[in-house]
Amino acid sequence: MNEPTMIKVESRPEETSSTPREWIRKNLFSNIPNTILTIVFGAFTIYAIRGVLGFVLSGERRWEAVATNMRLLMAQGYPANQFVRVWFTLGCLMALTGLSLAAWKASGRLPATKISIWIMNTGAGLALFAVLAPISAASKLGWVIAAAIFLLIGLGIWFGLRGENKRPTGSMPTVWFSFGFLAILVLSLWTVPYGHYAFVEGELIAETGRTVAMSTKLPFTVMWLILVGSYLFGVRIREYIPSGRTKAVLVGLWFLSPFILNWIVLRDPDFDYAHIASTDIPLALLFIIGGGVALYILSKPSLGEVGRILAIGLLFFAVFNWIGAFFGWYSMLQKVRISFVLLALAALIAPNFASDRKTRLRFVAGWSALIAISHWLITAVNSPSTLELQGPTYLGGFSLTLFVAVLTLLLSFPLGVLLALGRTSTMPIARVLCTGYIESIRGVPLITILFFFSNILPLFLPEGMEIAELAAIVTGYTLFSAAYLAENVRGGLQSVMREQYEASDAIGLTTSQRTGFIVLPQALRVSIPPLVGQAIGVFKETSLVAIIGAYDILRIANSVVPAQTEFLGVKREGLLLVSVIYFIVAFSMSKYSRRLEERVGLGER
Amino acid sequence: MIKKSKILQLLAVLFAFTLISAACGDDDDSSSSASSETSASEESTDEVTLTQDGESLLDTVQARGTLNCGVSGAAVAFSTLDPSGEMVGFDADFCRVVAAAVLGDASAVNFVSLTAAERFTAVQSGDVDVLMRNTTWTQSRDTDVGMDFGPTTYYDGQQLMGKAADGFSGSSTVADLEGATICTNAGTTTEKNIGDAAEAAGVTINLQTYEDFDIVTDNFISGACDIITTDGSGLVGRKAQQQPEGEEWVIFPGAPISKEPLGPTYGQNDSKWADAINWSVYATIIASEKGITSGNAAGVVGNDAFDAESQRLMGGEGELQSLMGLAADAFQQVITQVGNYDEIYARNLNPVGLTRAGSSNAGWEDGGLIYAPPAR
């Protein structure tokens, strides 16, 4: 298989190495306007850094407010005695990350040049810090020594490995460099006295000069071990299991992980086993067997158009169930209504599997897995949580931000692609509906939609039907974000040339094959930059959920911590932390998008 | 012909599905009414129509097993999240008082944090059973908005805070404010009250408003504001926590420029529910008067050191709680699990510098306004 990353421009000339002096003269002081700009912006940068450092290190700052409230900022009121669930969730994600790194052969290598420059830059940054920070002379000396050590290590790598061309040779795997970096961070938890802050039984414990609490450093160490261990395990099993299968399993696990980790692990449903045995399992079996038989028949090649007519009839029936439930004409389990919709959709795509017996059986097996997983999730979601909670939701703080962002992105992507396809399709009804939907949603502010879904929607629901606050938030946000996503995808669709359509028609592809194999891959490739921009926007705008009473990280930093008796009015520290966290996540997404663009060769071909 | 029979088979299968799932329909409601978050629940629908059905919210809450209590979530000393994520404060404790009385368990509270704008809607739509969200009892809210108000738990009032260095003292009045820059938060009644008071006193002031009171306080510290104004409880808290060393902040005038009685708020026309809440609050006040504390409440019944009223209140002979639809020892649970009025006050409001003695919130024997009808 061709690795897309292997494209390398061999003809690019080697960069002529210049001495630092030449480089500075060429780039910073080449002419008078350039010199003025360099001096002005240099002075401005130094002033800004000095201001920020002065703010961060000022004696008035009460960073213990942030340190003490770290758990509140991350997970709000998640019960302390159940916190192991949070760590288990993180551990699962770490294991998946490690296995994926191994499965996708994260084979990038960092050249020694780059490592050496990074280390020297860190040293230079520390030196700048020592010069600019308003700290005592003694501590300045300490920082200068640290800076010197970094510079020496960097120079040591540079000159120790220097080969031809005056540049160091050699490289190390990026993965191990990252692991090493994380290891240093984790080790610092055990050795560096960051300070010990806790809130136990209403008493504030603040001891400077100690390392962080055991409940912080131990789990993070375990997380690191899980990450590295699963990577090594993944590398080992690569020899025994074909990589295609591992990747398929991992993709499936990644997709399921938000649902399972959230509703099963974090929420801990209190299953009513008697009800499950009497109703849930028989229902699931009924749908697996009955639906499986129906789909097997529907995917029969000789069935022809009749299959499609039946599938459409089934879809009408499935939709009618929801209308009937809305007006309360007859009662049917919500689970059954969802299953009928799934069955109708499966019946619609059944002709695509109209082939030999093996393909049809695989289709039926897929259906069984879908029903098993969806029924299990619906049961779990509908079971009450065993957690003893202070508020209406078990999520809060940064975990709520992540939950809303991840779920919204996961759900709005397929919806947005469908809307874009509908809007560009030649079917008038679909086009009008999709256009109307997109335009009406885009004409309404997100705040309005959130208010609508949390306050007004419950009034419209039939008696006895309730929608949970979190579900309302995610639903409204998904519908909103899908409309914007659709427009981004439509931009991509329009960039696909007419010849592509004509060519695929000429070789006899069906409409769905043309869309799936020819049009969408090209359209999505072009849409990567706006799609990632949209994803970053979705992540950042989750802070709006605060207006309908949910505690996201920004609200906790902005109005909860400053209202605590111990930290009255202490707001700026928390806000700075929150902006740093938002920046880290958004910047990583943008960095990843750049890499993705490079991989698919966007802007190059 | 073969095709047709296949279609018939399919239709038969689907028909069977429909029948079975429709038959299971009733099951759904019973299973999901236990659900805390999603789907249907029989009780919740009754909340909206409780007055028509003649069924009280009290029965609904007792059937549900938890109390949905609306709080602010960001009101210093009244309802805030502490670093471990627990809702604490004066209002939060009165939520626990009601839960202890109605359900026998002070921890069976589901705190719903509400903004000022959505608090009344939340009561009307049944999202919360009772509001403990420093809501001022006013005529329009009592009548037009459709709320009923319980006994006032905290008598607040708008005051001003200035710096002693600027010549202000505890005996200053609004008339001394000529030309001063006065800051408060935007969109509240405090803004209107200070404007009215200045006009009545015939002084011109420079009124500036900010989005929240943290910014107001910062501007006061930096000197951009000469005077800041909000409810007295808020000012005392700020003074206790944020007054820099070597500076003296003074709060005046002695008689606040507005009356802000704060207490439990609930939907109107549900006497049974109103009685349960009101008497839970009264029980804490009576217990405070009689010297019943969280330490000795369990031993009051049958103890000759306590009078007959205390005995009845704690569930002894002649108790009246059973007639209200509560457990006989409901108020004993309140005092044991949460505490009496004085304990609740001391626990939450003393740390920010608010003392009962000498204020409107002293007991009526001490010249305050906290008073409860007799339990008999």
Side-chain angles (χ1 to χ4, degrees):
Chain A
M1 194 186 136
N2 272 340
E3 287 282 328
T5 42
M6 296 307 279
I7 303 157
K8 266 189 187 155
V9 187
E10 295 291 346
S11 58
R12 181 182 285 178
E14 271 297 304
E15 217 171 281
T16 50
S17 58
S18 50
T19 64
R21 214 182 135 148
E22 281 166 10
W23 187 89
I24 286 174
R25 185 179 293 163
K26 202 174 89 187
N27 291 292
L28 297 181
F29 301 102
S30 58
N31 51 30
I32 291 174
N34 193 344
T35 310
I36 293 174
L37 275 181
T38 302
I39 291 172
V40 168
F41 280 100
F44 178 76
T45 312
I46 287 176
Y47 177 76
I49 294 176
R50 204 182 153 78
V52 171
L53 287 179
F55 171 80
V56 171
L57 297 171
S58 157
E60 288 173 23
R61 293 284 84 78
R62 296 184 58 195
W63 290 103
E64 74 268 19
V66 172
T68 313
N69 281 295
M70 198 52 90
R71 182 170 282 189
L72 193 65
L73 286 164
M74 291 298 148
Q76 203 215 338
Y78 204 85
N81 55 357
Q82 297 280 318
F83 221 72
V84 65
R85 291 174 183 281
V86 176
W87 292 115
F88 181 79
T89 305
L90 255 183
C92 287
L93 293 178
M94 286 291 150
L96 273 178
T97 310
L99 288 173
S100 306
L101 282 175
W104 271 270
K105 299 202 190 83
S107 55
R109 295 183 77 83
L110 274 181
T113 329
K114 225 173 186 179
I115 297 177
S116 146
I117 288 176
W118 280 352
I119 294 177
M120 282 194 279
N121 278 345
T122 312
L126 288 178
L128 191 71
F129 174 82
V131 173
L132 292 179
I135 47 177
S136 70
S139 39
K140 271 190 194 217
L141 188 69
W143 287 105
V144 168
I145 292 173
I149 291 173
F150 270 95
L151 282 173
L152 281 178
I153 294 175
L155 286 173
I157 294 175
W158 185 277
F159 288 106
L161 297 172
R162 189 154 78 156
E164 304 160 30
N165 229 349
K166 288 190 185 174
R167 280 166 172 270
T169 54
S171 61
M172 84 182 280
T174 313
V175 175
W176 283 106
F177 182 80
S178 312
F179 287 168
F181 181 69
L182 291 176
I184 291 172
L185 285 186
V186 169
L187 269 181
S188 81
L189 290 178
W190 290 89
T191 50
V192 179
Y194 290 119
H196 179 111
Y197 300 99
F199 189 84
V200 183
E201 311 264 316
E203 287 296 315
L204 196 63
I205 301 167
E207 297 171 38
T208 49
R210 270 185 62 185
T211 55
V212 294
M214 186 56 88
S215 58
T216 306
K217 55 190 175 189
L218 190 65
F220 273 111
T221 313
V222 174
M223 290 305 122
W224 186 83
L225 290 175
I226 290 176
L227 178 67
V228 176
S230 60
Y231 175 73
L232 290 175
F233 179 72
V235 170
R236 176 58 66 86
I237 61 167
R238 214 156 59 186
E239 297 160 16
Y240 304 105
I241 302 173
S243 76
R245 188 167 295 170
T246 330
K247 284 180 186 174
V249 169
L250 281 174
V251 167
L253 285 178
W254 272 115
F255 188 78
L256 281 180
S257 62
F259 302 96
I260 291 181
L261 292 177
N262 180 47
W263 272 296
I264 313 294
V265 177
L266 286 181
R267 193 165 167 274
D268 190 27
D270 186 11
F271 287 117
D272 176 3
Y273 287 103
H275 187 261
I276 285 178
S278 70
T279 313
D280 294 321
I281 290 179
L283 259 184
L285 284 178
L286 194 73
F287 266 99
I288 286 175
I289 296 169
V293 170
L295 289 176
Y296 188 75
I297 298 171
L298 279 172
S299 62
K300 194 174 171 150
S302 60
L303 203 59
E305 274 311 296
V306 180
R308 279 183 205 275
I309 293 168
L310 270 180
I312 303 251
L314 195 57
L315 189 62
F316 271 108
F317 171 70
V319 172
F320 185 77
N321 282 339
W322 289 90
I323 299 172
F326 188 87
F327 291 106
W329 292 332
Y330 56 94
S331 81
M332 184 188 271
L333 271 172
Q334 192 182 40
K335 194 190 253 176
V336 176
R337 278 180 271 150
I338 293 175
S339 305
F340 271 123
V341 172
L342 290 177
L343 185 65
L345 294 178
L348 274 178
I349 61 164
N352 288 9
F353 295 86
S355 170
D356 57 348
R357 202 181 146 78
K358 204 178 153 197
T359 320
R360 290 165 67 191
L361 280 179
R362 206 189 291 160
F363 179 49
V364 171
W367 162 257
S368 311
L370 177 72
I371 284 297
I373 290 174
S374 58
H375 275 229
W376 179 46
L377 272 176
I378 295 170
T379 310
V381 170
N382 280 316
S383 302
S385 170
T386 54
L387 298 172
E388 284 185 10
L389 297 169
Q390 285 289 316
T393 74
Y394 57 100
L395 282 175
F398 190 53
S399 57
L400 177 77
T401 304
L402 278 184
F403 172 82
V404 174
V406 169
L407 229 58
T408 302
L409 287 174
L410 263 182
L411 298 175
S412 64
F413 183 74
L415 188 60
V417 170
L418 281 182
L419 280 171
L421 289 174
R423 194 171 179 179
T424 51
S425 84
T426 48
M427 292 181 280
I429 293 183
R431 200 174 58 227
V432 167
L433 281 180
C434 291
T435 311
Y437 173 83
I438 292 172
E439 292 307 331
S440 52
I441 292 278
R442 291 208 310 162
V444 179
L446 177 56
I447 295 188
T448 318
I449 289 181
L450 289 180
F451 270 135
F452 180 84
F453 272 83
S454 83
N455 292 330
I456 302 178
L457 192 69
L459 300 179
F460 283 108
L461 291 178
E463 273 191 27
M465 198 167 156
E466 239 177 61
I467 186 162
E469 189 81 0
L470 272 181
I473 292 174
V474 172
T475 316
Y477 203 8
T478 301
L479 295 179
F480 177 82
S481 142
Y484 279 84
L485 229 137
E487 286 299 278
N488 292 339
V489 175
R490 190 168 68 97
L493 285 174
Q494 281 174 344
S495 77
V496 179
M497 309 228 192
R498 174 191 283 275
E499 289 84 353
Q500 300 281 337
Y501 290 85
E502 288 166 356
S504 44
D505 285 344
I507 58 173
L509 297 183
T510 65
T511 310
S512 54
Q513 282 170 333
R514 185 185 68 196
T515 311
F517 296 126
I518 308 290
V519 178
L520 266 189
Q522 300 186 61
L524 290 181
R525 194 181 76 111
V526 177
S527 319
I528 289 175
L531 283 181
V532 174
Q534 167 81 13
I536 292 175
V538 164
F539 171 72
K540 287 190 300 185
E541 278 163 26
T542 50
S543 53
L544 282 177
V545 301
I547 56 157
I548 53 173
Y551 284 104
D552 79 316
I553 186 170
L554 182 63
R555 178 170 181 206
I556 291 178
N558 187 47
S559 57
V560 172
V561 175
Q564 285 168 355
T565 320
E566 297 85 1
F567 306 116
L568 201 62
V570 183
K571 180 184 269 190
R572 294 169 180 143
E573 292 80 348
L575 288 180
L576 189 69
L577 177 86
V578 169
S579 38
V580 168
I581 290 177
Y582 271 117
F583 172 77
I584 290 175
V585 177
F587 183 71
S588 328
M589 281 159 94
S590 132
K591 200 85 184 157
Y592 178 73
S593 120
R594 291 285 304 278
R595 278 195 50 192
L596 205 63
E597 285 166 35
E598 264 172 40
R599 269 224 341 231
V600 299
L602 203 63
E604 287 173 29
R605 60 189 162 100
Chain B
M1 290 306 277
I2 297 167
K3 244 181 203 171
K4 243 180 199 167
S5 70
K6 280 274 159 66
I7 295 166
L8 282 177
Q9 275 173 22
L10 264 178
L11 286 176
V13 169
L14 291 179
F15 186 63
F17 268 8
T18 322
L19 281 185
I20 290 163
S21 41
C24 299
D26 295 335
D27 249 12
D28 184 31
D29 289 346
S30 62
S31 76
S32 51
S33 61
S35 148
S36 62
E37 292 191 28
T38 39
S39 72
S41 82
E42 289 163 51
E43 294 87 31
S44 61
T45 57
D46 294 339
E47 282 167 25
V48 187
T49 54
L50 59 103
T51 43
Q52 282 87 29
D53 295 0
E55 192 185 343
S56 170
L57 202 50
L58 179 63
D59 308 313
T60 312
V61 171
Q62 283 174 338
R64 190 197 303 136
T66 53
L67 174 78
N68 293 330
C69 194
V71 293
S72 154
V76 178
F78 282 84
S79 59
T80 54
L81 287 173
D82 75 2
S84 64
E86 193 159 338
M87 194 64 82
V88 294
F90 190 77
D91 285 347
D93 273 352
F94 273 102
C95 289
R96 296 194 172 93
V97 162
V98 175
V102 173
L103 304 165
D105 180 6
S107 66
V109 186
N110 176 18
F111 289 101
V112 182
S113 85
L114 299 167
T115 63
E118 65 188 7
R119 52 186 161 179
F120 300 123
T121 324
V123 176
Q124 280 152 359
S125 69
D127 280 350
V128 300
D129 306 317
V130 59
L131 271 186
M132 296 281 183
R133 197 200 172 282
N134 40 21
T135 304
T136 304
W137 185 353
T138 65
Q139 186 186 4
S140 67
R141 285 170 181 173
D142 206 349
T143 54
D144 190 27
V145 182
M147 294 289 121
D148 270 354
F149 287 82
T152 299
T153 50
Y154 189 87
Y155 289 93
D156 213 341
Q158 187 178 345
Q159 286 177 302
L160 305 124
M161 183 155 71
K163 291 173 184 158
D166 294 344
F168 293 107
S169 71
S171 56
S172 302
T173 60
V174 180
D176 301 329
L177 296 177
E178 183 63 44
T181 302
I182 301 179
C183 303
T184 188
N185 34 357
T188 58
T189 48
T190 54
E191 194 183 335
K192 192 170 170 292
N193 290 339
I194 184 65
D196 292 352
E199 204 181 291
V203 290
T204 45
I205 55 166
N206 173 16
L207 189 64
Q208 288 186 3
T209 58
Y210 297 90
E211 190 48 45
D212 72 49
F213 208 73
D214 288 324
I215 304 173
V216 174
T217 314
D218 285 344
N219 279 308
F220 180 60
I221 293 171
S222 72
C225 303
D226 301 326
I227 298 280
I228 56 176
T229 178
T230 189
D231 287 353
S233 58
L235 291 178
V236 173
R238 295 285 165 175
K239 178 170 146 72
Q241 300 286 328
Q242 286 179 282
Q243 176 177 275
E245 270 177 59
E247 222 174 79
E248 206 200 329
W249 296 356
V250 289
I251 295 172
F252 63 91
I257 60 173
S258 75
K259 292 188 286 186
E260 312 283 347
L262 313 175
T265 313
Y266 35 78
Q268 62 187 7
N269 301 334
D270 187 352
S271 285
K272 204 174 167 191
W273 179 231
D275 289 344
I277 294 173
N278 295 358
W279 277 94
S280 309
V281 175
Y282 288 141
T284 64
I285 297 173
I286 298 171
S288 187
E289 292 167 0
K290 304 278 182 192
I292 306 171
T293 64
S294 53
N296 64 20
V300 167
V301 176
N303 184 341
D304 292 340
F306 292 94
D307 64 9
E309 186 180 356
S310 307
Q311 305 272 352
R312 282 196 298 273
L313 196 67
M314 291 298 111
E317 205 179 329
E319 51 87 15
L320 297 166
Q321 286 80 268
S322 306
L323 295 174
M324 299 170 59
L326 303 179
D329 69 341
F331 297 149
Q332 185 194 317
Q333 294 301 331
V334 170
I335 309 301
T336 312
Q337 296 183 27
V338 191
N340 65 31
Y341 182 87
D342 199 50
E343 287 175 297
I344 295 172
Y345 192 102
R347 185 191 313 145
N348 297 298
L349 300 180
N350 284 356
V352 292
L354 291 167
T355 48
R356 267 191 94 183
S359 75
S360 305
N361 298 301
W364 59 280
E365 311 105 309
D366 305 325
L369 294 170
I370 298 296
Y371 181 95
R376 62 168 182 257

